[in-house]
Amino acid sequence: MLSISLGLPELKVIKQELHSYGYAIHVEKTATREHCPHCGFAPSSVHDRRTRKAQDLAIFHQPVYLFVKVKRYRCSNCSQVFSASLESIQPNQHYTNRFGEYLYELCEGSAIQEVSRKHRIPYTTLERIYYSIASKKAKERQTAIEASSQEEMVLSLDEIAVKKGHQYETVWMDAKAGSVMGMHADRQCDSAIHLLSQNVLSKERVQTVILDMWEPYHKAVRALFPSASIVIDKYHVVQKVTQALDQARKEFPPLKKARYLLLKGCEKLHKDQRLRLDDILEEYPVLSIAYYLKELFRDFYRTDGYHEAKERLEEWIQLAKQSPFASFQEAANTLERWKEPILSYFLCPYTNARIEGTNHKIKNIKRRAYGYRNRERFRLRVFLECTGNTTGS
């Protein structure tokens, strides 16, 4: 039989056997001195001996089981009976610590059911192992976050649909570190206040908050961080204008297939596409007003300074209000209402790009498990998989 090191210094191999179910390795603890966990005295007599069975890492795809001979002592001071402690196997645990870590790593980025089927481990057993380790790692990671010395924090707040029927989760992210810091049910003001008050360590550290134009989030941020600068994500602002152009296009039924040409940036069009676009705008001169309003607004975000950007935005709002399209008039009113947080982008050039990309990852976590009935476990998964090593020193 092949002889290899067990890799557990506290255990000494007595014998090893190969059975149909795998390798059976009989071991015992090398150190013999034990102290009573109740009173701290060293016991004077061995009460009895028992054998514990624990699964360990496989060898050549063969399961390995450790049969540990454990001494039980009777304390001479308090008469309590206790077992010898093991560093590699926790009390009432039927697997080694390293085997539990191995299973945890397998479940990261995969469904528990898939790992259970491949390694022939009962689903409930693997689920219990994974979430017991995941809870400990989440606490360790949270402690690391609290210990990190970051002077200024930039928050990013967004919602993600987790179930049909407009059921949402509010996601809070550290935009600088790129890590999800917490989630909470629905996307109302009270939920956002609860989420941020539970997780934000110091309100003075929050200098910038990136949001879309969802009013309940703005109310929550203004209530908790009155001195913070609110920045509206530019993607959502540009989206309002492009949607206005799309609504204007729908007023011309023959242009059903011209949506791509009109919405795409002018500089990204090929030569043939530009020629076709010129023909469309020449044939529909009224629509050309909407198209140039869209392109004019895209130039607004290429402005260098705050004051010039303010002048351009105010000019665009007036032109949009005078346009013959109701969709642009509505977009102008919306942008006028959110003018200050839109212009804050030119003072704090942050966007929600990171959280939008993370939302896609969160959706993949949900799809991978075909949904979660236990929402707390879903949030735990997201916290562990979407925080990663971003909390390092």
Side-chain angles (χ1 to χ4, degrees):
M1 184 177 289
L2 182 65
S3 178
I4 60 175
S5 173
L6 185 62
L8 300 174
E10 67 172 340
L11 299 176
K12 178 177 66 177
V13 178
I14 301 173
K15 65 175 181 177
Q16 51 183 325
E17 302 167 340
L18 179 59
H19 299 279
S20 58
Y21 58 81
Y23 288 102
I25 302 177
H26 297 264
V27 297
E28 65 179 6
K29 190 175 180 180
T30 54
T32 56
R33 187 170 180 80
E34 296 286 340
H35 289 81
C36 177
H38 303 284
C39 64
F41 275 68
S44 58
S45 61
V46 176
H47 180 66
D48 61 11
R49 291 175 175 83
R50 295 186 179 182
T51 301
R52 290 183 62 185
K53 180 182 176 182
Q55 188 171 358
D56 198 17
L57 296 174
I59 299 176
F60 300 120
H61 301 289
Q62 288 289 335
V64 174
Y65 297 93
L66 302 182
F67 292 86
V68 189
K69 290 185 178 180
V70 181
K71 294 179 181 178
R72 299 178 73 231
Y73 298 91
R74 181 177 293 278
C75 181
S76 58
N77 181 57
C78 63
S79 300
Q80 293 288 335
V81 177
F82 63 93
S83 299
S85 60
L86 296 170
E87 293 181 2
S88 55
I89 308 172
Q90 298 300 317
N92 303 318
Q93 186 170 285
H94 300 285
Y95 54 91
T96 60
N97 294 337
R98 64 185 183 184
F99 184 66
E101 287 286 341
Y102 171 71
L103 293 177
Y104 171 81
E105 291 173 3
L106 287 177
C107 292
E108 280 192 312
S110 180
I112 294 178
Q113 188 175 16
E114 183 69 17
V115 178
S116 170
R117 184 167 55 250
K118 284 183 178 180
H119 293 268
R120 299 178 182 178
I121 300 172
Y123 176 83
T124 52
T125 301
L126 184 58
E127 184 184 42
R128 184 177 65 251
I129 293 172
Y130 173 81
Y131 283 109
S132 64
I133 297 175
S135 299
K136 294 177 184 176
K137 289 189 177 293
K139 290 178 181 177
E140 292 173 0
R141 195 161 293 176
Q142 187 66 38
T143 304
I145 293 171
E146 293 174 2
S148 62
S149 56
Q150 186 178 346
E151 294 182 359
E152 181 183 337
M153 181 178 286
V154 179
L155 299 186
S156 189
L157 211 64
D158 200 7
E159 78 281 350
I160 181 172
V162 293
K163 200 174 181 181
K164 290 183 178 180
H166 298 285
Q167 295 191 32
Y168 297 93
E169 285 270 325
T170 296
V171 182
W172 166 49
M173 190 175 188
D174 184 344
K176 279 189 173 182
S179 56
V180 173
M181 310 300 288
M183 295 173 64
H184 198 274
D186 67 58
R187 56 173 183 164
Q188 300 306 315
C189 179
D190 294 339
S191 299
I193 290 175
H194 176 77
L195 175 64
L196 295 174
S197 59
Q198 288 288 321
N199 291 286
V200 173
L201 311 176
S202 173
K203 295 181 180 180
E204 289 73 22
R205 287 173 55 188
V206 179
Q207 301 295 322
T208 307
V209 185
I210 313 161
L211 304 169
D212 54 18
M213 286 175 274
W214 180 245
E215 180 62 35
Y217 286 164
H218 287 261
K219 288 176 62 178
V221 170
R222 285 193 292 266
L224 287 175
F225 317 114
S227 61
S229 174
I230 297 178
V231 180
I232 290 184
D233 179 42
K234 72 174 185 178
Y235 166 79
H236 292 87
V237 183
V238 175
Q239 185 185 48
K240 286 285 182 185
V241 178
T242 55
Q243 287 175 347
L245 174 58
D246 199 34
Q247 289 295 323
R249 176 193 62 83
K250 291 178 181 178
E251 297 181 13
F252 303 90
L255 298 179
K256 183 177 181 180
K257 296 182 179 180
R259 182 176 184 270
Y260 178 81
L261 286 174
L262 292 168
L263 299 187
K264 190 175 181 179
C266 180
E267 72 282 357
K268 298 179 182 179
L269 295 174
H270 301 302
K271 184 178 179 180
D272 295 340
Q273 292 175 329
R274 288 186 181 183
L275 292 174
R276 187 185 169 201
L277 177 64
D278 291 340
D279 293 340
I280 291 173
L281 297 180
E282 186 177 352
E283 185 177 354
Y284 300 93
V286 180
L287 184 62
S288 64
I289 299 173
Y291 179 78
Y292 288 120
L293 278 173
K294 186 264 291 186
E295 288 298 320
L296 184 63
F297 190 82
R298 292 180 71 244
D299 290 336
F300 156 71
Y301 270 109
R302 300 189 183 102
T303 309
D304 292 331
Y306 175 85
H307 296 290
E308 184 181 351
K310 184 178 180 181
E311 292 177 1
R312 284 197 175 193
L313 181 60
E314 290 175 348
E315 179 185 0
W316 188 92
I317 290 172
Q318 294 304 319
L319 290 173
K321 284 183 176 181
Q322 296 170 10
S323 72
F325 300 103
S327 59
F328 273 93
Q329 295 169 10
E330 183 181 349
N333 292 331
T334 302
L335 268 57
E336 188 175 32
R337 187 166 67 252
W338 297 101
K339 183 170 67 174
E340 289 305 320
I342 290 173
L343 291 170
S344 295
Y345 170 79
F346 296 91
L347 300 176
C348 306
Y350 289 99
T351 68
N352 261 353
R354 270 188 162 179
I355 198 169
E356 294 293 348
T358 304
N359 282 351
H360 181 70
K361 187 175 181 180
I362 294 172
K363 289 178 181 178
N364 286 338
I365 293 172
K366 182 190 69 173
R367 293 189 191 104
R368 192 174 64 211
Y370 293 93
Y372 283 83
R373 287 175 292 183
N374 189 322
R375 200 66 66 84
E376 289 300 324
R377 288 187 170 181
F378 175 55
R379 293 167 188 161
L380 179 62
R381 274 264 189 171
V382 171
F383 178 72
L384 289 172
E385 295 192 30
C386 297
T387 304
N389 298 322
T390 56
T391 57
S393 59

